[in-house]
Amino acid sequence: MGLRSFHLVFISLSSLLLVGFGAWCLGYFPTLREAIYLWIGSLSVVLGLGIAAYGAWFYVKTKRLRITE
């Protein structure tokens, strides 16, 4: 596995973990009514989407690179 592939896998997993954690926090907010769950959940979802956008940009940017292995 090359560095580009590893980077794409790492970014994908990070994005999934952030969005999943955010959904988990936002799921607990209605029952517990603590603002920290709302803030951290929202921040995690936004960061997860931001990392996903970065991953898409990185994929397009490095798609044209010619790498000899």
Side-chain angles (χ1 to χ4, degrees):
M1 177 183 288
L3 185 59
R4 178 180 179 259
S5 299
F6 174 76
H7 191 69
L8 288 171
V9 168
F10 186 75
I11 291 299
S12 299
L13 290 176
S14 297
S15 178
L16 287 173
L17 282 172
L18 276 168
V19 170
F21 178 70
W24 179 76
C25 284
L26 291 174
Y28 269 95
F29 174 69
T31 57
L32 297 176
R33 294 285 182 197
E34 293 189 28
I36 192 72
Y37 287 101
L38 180 64
W39 284 102
I40 292 197
S42 301
L43 181 64
S44 295
V45 169
V46 168
L47 288 176
L49 294 176
I51 287 178
Y54 165 72
W57 173 82
F58 180 80
Y59 177 76
V60 170
K61 183 78 171 174
T62 60
K63 190 175 183 180
R64 293 177 282 146
L65 289 178
R66 181 175 294 253
I67 301 172
T68 57
E69 294 182 23

